Amino acid sequence: MSPTESPANPDRPERKPGLKRRTFLTGAASLAGLAAAKLWLTPQSAEAAKPKSPTVPDDPTKVPGSPPTPYGQRSAFERTVRLVVPSHSLTPLQDLHGVVTPSSLHFERHHNGVPLIDPARHRLLVHGLVERPTVFTVEDLQRFPSVSRLAFIECSGNSGSEWEGQGGASAQEIHGLFSTSEWTGVPLALVLREVGTRPEAAWMLAEGSDAGAMTRSIPLAAALDEALLCYAQNGEPLRPEQGYPLRLLIPGWEGNACIKWLRRLKLGAEPFMTRDETARYTDLMPDGKARQFTLVMEAKSLITSPSGGQRIRPGFVEIRGLAWSGRGRVTSVEVSTDGGRTWQPASLLEPVLPKCTTAFRLPWRWDGRETILQSRCTDETGYVQPTRRALVAVRGVHSGYHYNGIQSWKVGADGRLSNVHL
């Protein structure tokens, strides 16, 4: 039996998750990457979401099994769910295996609900500084040569509750605006070659077809290398909350730049300075200035097991976690079992792919005394994940986005793990 135990009811948080409202200069604005609303899944609705307890035969070899169904269902014994509020949901990182997030558990974030779109009527307009403004149907795009790749998407507001204080108890509550999938689509470069990009084009406006009309300016040269116009995720069409029928994916960039329900691309010579990149998605620095277009997600790692809300017993424990970098491959992960005084190299599990999640593990024997677990990663550019203290020293506590400080889990004498700041 594993020495790692889950809370009494792992499908329901022990306390209300603490994605705290951020205090900005005015004291009124809140992070757009985190929702203002905090109507988390109630105990009643969480209970209703659980599968019904199955009637288990004494000997399954004596009873005919169930027939196939048109769309597969998970076992009635599996109860991992997302924490949800009206504007977003959080991936239960501590309960997953490997690096791929099931599509049904991929975090979602939207600004005015999930639109209902008929793929047969959906169109993508490509115009601006192009030789041949063109309207594409989804079918048109699916006729281009396709590419599939594994990549993570992380909301720029992920872990943002940690800037000002301890904003959550579990890996899901603190870091759950993060997921990894296999994405399939047509390279943006192919589509732009089809319409003919004019030499002066340097930026691209990407616009969604949702009620929030989410819009971002994208530096064109950087996007051309890897951007995909995606229509599939994990082997099937995108789910509505992931941008069905078409979304932009720029591996390694903050999630809001990967525009969902994509309906328009406009090329221009300058950034378009839309509401979403002026009123939101800027990093407030200690001197009161805000940084714009900080699109790349820096290297980050997280111990997911054991982690906050779980409990261990003395003896062998395999420490497991996830690491990623928007700048390329993760090259190493170190783990500390004594609050950062010493560090040991963890094993990286294959595949280790650029701008994708890498799983790591380290065998450990807990002696029953209080201690603190941490992980820190390094990517192929040499960037090392900072401590929270070092991050705050540069960025202050009102930065809002792009929090990638080292996560510390305190192991109490009773074996319970909790979120702490050093």
Side-chain angles (χ1 to χ4, degrees), residues 6-311:
S6 297
N9 185 348
D11 290 342
R12 188 167 61 221
E14 293 296 297
R15 67 178 180 82
K16 184 179 291 184
L19 290 179
K20 298 170 58 179
R21 183 181 297 276
R22 319 263 32 96
T23 304
F24 277 71
L25 287 180
T26 63
S30 62
L31 281 178
L34 302 175
K38 299 188 175 56
L39 301 176
W40 291 92
L41 193 68
T42 65
Q44 292 75 19
S45 57
E47 193 64 31
K50 293 179 180 176
K52 303 299 182 185
S53 297
T55 300
V56 181
D58 293 335
D59 184 353
T61 67
K62 306 298 184 186
V63 180
S66 300
T69 57
Y71 197 85
Q73 303 293 319
R74 66 177 175 177
S75 166
F77 295 98
E78 299 300 327
R79 300 185 172 186
T80 297
V81 296
R82 299 184 300 188
L83 293 173
V84 298
V85 297
S87 62
H88 67 264
S89 64
L90 300 170
T91 295
L93 299 170
Q94 71 281 355
D95 296 327
L96 302 184
H97 306 279
V99 299
V100 175
T101 307
S103 297
S104 57
L105 295 177
H106 194 291
F107 85 89
E108 61 182 289
R109 173 74 176 106
H110 37 77
H111 297 78
N112 202 356
V114 178
L116 179 61
I117 297 176
D118 180 351
R121 296 170 54 190
H122 189 71
R123 300 290 185 270
L124 173 66
L125 168 64
V126 184
H127 66 137
L129 295 177
V130 300
E131 300 295 339
R132 296 173 294 279
T134 306
V135 175
F136 295 94
T137 67
V138 176
E139 184 179 7
D140 291 335
L141 295 171
Q142 291 177 340
R143 295 180 64 187
F144 281 85
S146 66
V147 172
S148 294
R149 66 170 293 176
L150 286 162
F152 73 81
I153 293 182
E154 181 177 19
C155 176
S156 59
N158 192 31
S159 322
S161 57
E162 296 296 292
W163 280 112
E164 296 183 26
Q166 293 156 299
S170 70
Q172 180 178 18
E173 294 169 11
I174 305 167
H175 307 287
L177 290 168
F178 173 85
S179 301
T180 302
S181 292
E182 183 191 60
W183 305 96
T184 299
V186 55
L188 171 67
L190 288 183
V191 175
L192 293 186
R193 188 184 307 167
E194 183 75 9
V195 301
T197 305
R198 292 170 56 178
E200 60 269 37
W203 287 79
M204 178 180 72
L205 182 76
E207 182 179 75
S209 192
D210 58 316
M214 180 67 185
T215 312
R216 289 302 313 265
S217 297
I218 309 293
L220 188 58
L224 280 176
D225 288 340
E226 299 182 280
L228 297 179
L229 305 180
C230 292
Y231 44 79
Q233 173 190 11
N234 295 336
E236 63 180 359
L238 294 171
R239 296 209 167 199
E241 63 268 27
Q242 299 305 328
Y244 181 84
L246 189 68
R247 81 173 298 170
L248 179 65
L249 171 73
I250 308 178
W253 288 21
E254 58 187 33
N256 64 76
C258 303
I259 296 293
K260 298 190 284 189
W261 315 292
L262 185 66
R263 69 172 180 179
R264 187 163 72 102
L265 297 174
K266 181 178 182 180
L267 272 58
E270 304 287 342
F272 293 82
M273 295 298 182
T274 69
R275 176 195 63 181
D276 293 306
E277 56 205 20
T278 53
R280 301 170 173 170
Y281 301 124
T282 61
D283 305 325
L284 185 61
M285 303 301 285
D287 62 1
K289 295 182 179 178
R291 301 192 307 175
Q292 280 189 291
F293 305 115
T294 52
L295 297 164
V296 174
M297 302 306 293
E298 301 286 7
K300 191 171 178 178
S301 69
L302 169 71
I303 293 174
T304 55
S305 180
S307 60
Q310 297 180 335
R311 186 176 184 179

Side-chain angles (χ1 to χ4, degrees), residues 239-383:
R239 296 209 167 199
E241 63 268 27
Q242 299 305 328
Y244 181 84
L246 189 68
R247 81 173 298 170
L248 179 65
L249 171 73
I250 308 178
W253 288 21
E254 58 187 33
N256 64 76
C258 303
I259 296 293
K260 298 190 284 189
W261 315 292
L262 185 66
R263 69 172 180 179
R264 187 163 72 102
L265 297 174
K266 181 178 182 180
L267 272 58
E270 304 287 342
F272 293 82
M273 295 298 182
T274 69
R275 176 195 63 181
D276 293 306
E277 56 205 20
T278 53
R280 301 170 173 170
Y281 301 124
T282 61
D283 305 325
L284 185 61
M285 303 301 285
D287 62 1
K289 295 182 179 178
R291 301 192 307 175
Q292 280 189 291
F293 305 115
T294 52
L295 297 164
V296 174
M297 302 306 293
E298 301 286 7
K300 191 171 178 178
S301 69
L302 169 71
I303 293 174
T304 55
S305 180
S307 60
Q310 297 180 335
R311 186 176 184 179
I312 59 175
R313 293 183 285 113
F316 177 78
V317 178
E318 182 172 75
I319 296 174
R320 302 168 185 164
L322 304 171
W324 60 94
S325 173
R327 297 189 182 278
R329 287 180 174 80
V330 170
T331 55
S332 68
V333 177
E334 300 167 285
V335 171
S336 175
T337 59
D338 56 12
R341 287 192 291 274
T342 63
W343 295 87
Q344 305 175 63
S347 298
L348 303 185
L349 279 62
E350 295 291 343
V352 180
L353 302 172
K355 303 175 184 178
C356 185
T357 308
T358 297
F360 66 87
R361 65 185 177 191
L362 179 77
W364 177 53
R365 187 169 293 279
W366 184 48
D367 60 10
R369 292 184 291 183
E370 285 189 1
T371 191
I372 291 176
L373 305 180
Q374 298 175 306
S375 67
R376 67 181 179 194
C377 68
T378 302
D379 68 21
E380 61 184 341
T381 69
Y383 178 91

